[in-house]
Short mmCIF file of all heavy atoms in Angstrom, two decimals:
data_model
loop_
_atom_site.label_atom_id
_atom_site.label_comp_id
_atom_site.label_asym_id
_atom_site.label_seq_id
_atom_site.Cartn_x
_atom_site.Cartn_y
_atom_site.Cartn_z
N VAL A 452 -4.42 2.38 -48.49
CA VAL A 452 -5.81 2.07 -48.79
C VAL A 452 -6.53 3.30 -49.36
O VAL A 452 -7.31 3.19 -50.30
CB VAL A 452 -6.53 1.55 -47.52
CG1 VAL A 452 -8.01 1.39 -47.75
CG2 VAL A 452 -5.91 0.18 -47.10
N TYR A 453 -6.26 4.44 -48.74
CA TYR A 453 -6.87 5.69 -49.25
C TYR A 453 -6.42 6.01 -50.66
O TYR A 453 -7.18 6.52 -51.50
CB TYR A 453 -6.51 6.87 -48.32
CG TYR A 453 -7.24 6.81 -46.97
CD1 TYR A 453 -6.87 7.65 -45.93
CD2 TYR A 453 -8.29 5.94 -46.77
CE1 TYR A 453 -7.52 7.66 -44.71
CE2 TYR A 453 -8.92 5.90 -45.53
CZ TYR A 453 -8.51 6.75 -44.55
OH TYR A 453 -9.17 6.67 -43.32
N ILE A 454 -5.13 5.73 -50.94
CA ILE A 454 -4.60 6.01 -52.27
C ILE A 454 -5.31 5.11 -53.29
O ILE A 454 -5.68 5.55 -54.38
CB ILE A 454 -3.07 5.85 -52.30
CG1 ILE A 454 -2.39 6.95 -51.48
CG2 ILE A 454 -2.58 5.87 -53.73
CD1 ILE A 454 -0.92 6.76 -51.35
N LYS A 455 -5.50 3.85 -52.91
CA LYS A 455 -6.09 2.88 -53.86
C LYS A 455 -7.57 3.10 -53.97
O LYS A 455 -8.18 2.88 -55.00
CB LYS A 455 -5.85 1.46 -53.38
CG LYS A 455 -4.35 1.08 -53.47
CD LYS A 455 -4.14 -0.35 -52.97
CE LYS A 455 -2.64 -0.73 -53.00
NZ LYS A 455 -2.44 -2.07 -52.48
N ASN A 456 -8.22 3.55 -52.83
CA ASN A 456 -9.67 3.79 -52.85
C ASN A 456 -9.90 5.21 -52.29
O ASN A 456 -10.13 5.38 -51.08
CB ASN A 456 -10.36 2.78 -51.94
CG ASN A 456 -10.11 1.37 -52.44
OD1 ASN A 456 -10.58 0.98 -53.50
ND2 ASN A 456 -9.40 0.58 -51.63
N PRO A 457 -9.85 6.20 -53.10
CA PRO A 457 -9.98 7.60 -52.65
C PRO A 457 -11.34 7.86 -52.01
O PRO A 457 -11.44 8.77 -51.17
CB PRO A 457 -9.86 8.42 -53.94
CG PRO A 457 -9.09 7.52 -54.90
CD PRO A 457 -9.54 6.13 -54.58
N GLN A 458 -12.37 7.09 -52.34
CA GLN A 458 -13.67 7.32 -51.73
C GLN A 458 -13.73 7.00 -50.29
O GLN A 458 -14.63 7.48 -49.54
CB GLN A 458 -14.76 6.53 -52.50
CG GLN A 458 -14.72 5.04 -52.34
CD GLN A 458 -13.75 4.42 -53.37
OE1 GLN A 458 -13.01 5.13 -54.01
NE2 GLN A 458 -13.74 3.12 -53.43
N MET A 459 -12.74 6.22 -49.79
CA MET A 459 -12.72 5.83 -48.38
C MET A 459 -12.10 6.93 -47.52
O MET A 459 -12.29 6.95 -46.32
CB MET A 459 -11.93 4.54 -48.18
CG MET A 459 -12.56 3.36 -48.88
SD MET A 459 -11.65 1.83 -48.55
CE MET A 459 -11.96 1.69 -46.77
N GLY A 460 -11.34 7.83 -48.09
CA GLY A 460 -10.75 8.88 -47.32
C GLY A 460 -9.65 9.60 -48.05
O GLY A 460 -9.19 9.18 -49.14
N ASP A 461 -9.19 10.73 -47.50
CA ASP A 461 -8.16 11.55 -48.11
C ASP A 461 -6.82 11.06 -47.60
O ASP A 461 -6.53 11.09 -46.40
CB ASP A 461 -8.36 13.00 -47.75
CG ASP A 461 -7.35 13.92 -48.45
OD1 ASP A 461 -6.66 13.42 -49.34
OD2 ASP A 461 -7.30 15.12 -48.09
N ALA A 462 -5.93 10.69 -48.53
CA ALA A 462 -4.62 10.18 -48.18
C ALA A 462 -3.79 11.28 -47.57
O ALA A 462 -2.87 10.99 -46.72
CB ALA A 462 -3.93 9.58 -49.38
N ALA A 463 -3.98 12.51 -47.94
CA ALA A 463 -3.18 13.61 -47.40
C ALA A 463 -3.51 13.90 -45.94
O ALA A 463 -2.75 14.58 -45.25
CB ALA A 463 -3.37 14.85 -48.26
#
Side-chain angles (χ1 to χ4, degrees):
V452 172
Y453 288 169
I454 292 173
K455 294 178 181 179
N456 302 292
Q458 67 275 11
M459 297 183 65
D461 184 10

